[in-house]
Amino acid sequence: MTRLPFRKSTRGHGRHLFASTAVVATTLLTGCGPHADSADDGPAPGTRDQFVPAAVEFTNPIDTEWSVPPPPRLTGELERADMLVIGASPLPARLRNRIDSMPQVRATIPLAMASVRVADRSITVAAVDSASYRRFTPEATATTDGVWDAVAAGEVVLSHQIADDLSQPLGGTLTVRQRGDGLPLRVGAYATTLPRVHAIVNERRGDQLGISQHNALVVALRHDDIAEGTRDVRKVVRDRARVDPLHPTTATRGSHTALLTGGAVADAVGSFSYRYFPDGTVAPQREWVNANIRTESVPILGTVTCHRVMLPQLRAALSEVERRGLTAAIDPDDYGGCYFPRFIGYDPDRGLSLHTWGIAIDLNVAGNHRGTKGEIDRDVVAIFKKWGFAWGGDWDWTDPMHFELAALVRH
């Protein structure tokens, strides 16, 4: 007989009951409406407006190869996460220790962070040690053992907004595009952790995702002057990493770092720091833009602005479309663009659009909306796939106008 552990939701009074090791289990999901918790991150899937019972079948087993021991019982005070120090590579232990010993600093924890590609966006994933990381999360999350049991079991825990956007049910599969393949992660819980962290996994899963260990440090200050504390930490860090306050109050709202992981394409497009604004637009650092974003002419579409790595393959795909007599299948007047730095829905909680990287294009927008089969010619789709592009029409929630660079192809 399989024991069914009781997992309490972090939102309102919702409860999730399921088998953590069984191949099939049934979950009864009930949740309060949006007033049951902070409205900042929106309601979790299935918890809009009122109590909504929904049966969820766990048809995919947990892969125990990626599990770690569950964390001990939470004791002691929680910490307030004030800033994030993040580098493109692991932060040296000497630097982490120096920050931790600063008189202004109350506590720190190292973790691994990177952006991964999911559907039409990149989301920030943190690979964490549950016992230490939970202490820096909101109380409702920190005190919910089921969240941390899910992380330990090798499952992914999603923010409420991302789960809602991607229609990810508990027990469902989140597919991370990794080195041209789809890496399936079972969704174990919804929870709010740190600002702009959209998902958390354990450190073994982080290794599987290719996230550099200890490339980030969460910092809690002894005082409330985050601006002063940020300046002090920046003096120590200098140019070895980026220091981002987690609760910015300025008109620009703040800054962050995008470190894409997941194979040759991620390595080729590079990583960048960016500022983001109240309207949901993004300004990547000028050096990255100057080094990577190009405006060039391509067949059929004319002038486009994209990442330099993608342009040769885009040009090759469109040239083949022309050679095969399919030019009329792409309407240049209905081209939706390529490089357009912004968050999905102009909301930082929903992840960066892959257009921010300049590696995605939208074709024939009018007849290929989300959730439809789309009207785009399937021969055109096949040509783009041949030239290393993934097509949004293959996703669970389709986006048939969307093509993105998924593999580097020699031409």
Side-chain angles (χ1 to χ4, degrees), residues 247-264:
H247 307 283
T249 57
T250 62
T252 59
R253 293 197 62 182
S255 58
H256 203 40
T257 302
L259 304 169
L260 196 63
T261 187

Side-chain angles (χ1 to χ4, degrees), residues 86-162:
I86 184 167
S89 58
L91 301 175
R94 179 179 296 181
L95 176 61
R96 290 187 272 120
N97 293 336
R98 186 176 176 189
I99 295 171
D100 187 67
S101 64
M102 293 175 65
Q104 307 94 318
V105 172
R106 175 181 168 89
T108 66
I109 54 162
L111 64 156
M113 291 183 64
S115 298
V116 300
R117 293 194 289 179
V118 177
D120 58 346
R121 70 198 71 196
S122 68
I123 66 172
T124 300
V125 176
V128 306
D129 170 67
S130 294
S132 57
Y133 181 75
R134 69 188 296 182
R135 304 182 66 83
F136 289 73
T137 66
E139 182 178 5
T141 300
T143 58
T144 301
D145 291 336
V147 169
W148 309 105
D149 290 342
V151 173
E155 297 176 299
V156 61
V157 173
L158 298 179
S159 72
H160 304 286
Q161 181 67 70
I162 292 299

Side-chain angles (χ1 to χ4, degrees), residues 103-301:
Q104 307 94 318
V105 172
R106 175 181 168 89
T108 66
I109 54 162
L111 64 156
M113 291 183 64
S115 298
V116 300
R117 293 194 289 179
V118 177
D120 58 346
R121 70 198 71 196
S122 68
I123 66 172
T124 300
V125 176
V128 306
D129 170 67
S130 294
S132 57
Y133 181 75
R134 69 188 296 182
R135 304 182 66 83
F136 289 73
T137 66
E139 182 178 5
T141 300
T143 58
T144 301
D145 291 336
V147 169
W148 309 105
D149 290 342
V151 173
E155 297 176 299
V156 61
V157 173
L158 298 179
S159 72
H160 304 286
Q161 181 67 70
I162 292 299
D164 202 24
D165 276 0
L166 300 176
S167 300
Q168 287 289 339
L170 286 171
T173 299
L174 178 77
T175 301
V176 175
R177 294 199 301 287
Q178 193 78 353
R179 295 175 175 83
D181 298 320
L183 175 64
L185 300 175
R186 192 167 101 167
V187 180
Y190 312 131
T192 298
T193 62
L194 295 187
R196 296 186 304 281
V197 172
H198 305 114
I200 57 173
V201 295
N202 67 36
E203 291 175 316
R204 294 192 69 188
R205 282 291 194 188
D207 290 341
Q208 185 187 28
L209 289 167
I211 304 175
S212 295
Q213 287 190 355
H214 297 174
N215 69 333
L217 192 72
V218 182
V219 179
L221 297 173
R222 294 186 183 276
H223 54 74
D224 292 331
D225 192 338
I226 296 176
E228 178 184 349
T230 300
R231 287 194 298 270
D232 292 341
V233 173
R234 281 176 176 156
K235 290 177 183 177
V236 171
V237 172
R238 293 183 292 180
D239 61 352
R240 290 172 287 189
R242 185 174 183 86
V243 181
D244 296 335
L246 291 174
H247 307 283
T249 57
T250 62
T252 59
R253 293 197 62 182
S255 58
H256 203 40
T257 302
L259 304 169
L260 196 63
T261 187
V265 171
D267 294 341
V269 301
S271 300
F272 54 84
S273 299
Y274 61 90
R275 292 178 298 145
Y276 61 98
F277 304 93
D279 64 356
T281 58
V282 168
Q285 67 187 101
R286 182 176 300 176
E287 294 82 0
W288 181 86
V289 173
N290 290 342
N292 293 288
I293 301 302
R294 300 283 186 271
T295 299
E296 298 182 6
S297 180
V298 297
I300 303 177
L301 298 178

Side-chain angles (χ1 to χ4, degrees), residues 272 282 284 288 338-343 352-358:
F272 54 84
V282 168
W288 181 86
C338 181
Y339 176 64
F340 183 13
R342 62 178 176 83
F343 293 108
L352 282 175
S353 166
L354 287 173
H355 290 281
T356 304
W357 304 85

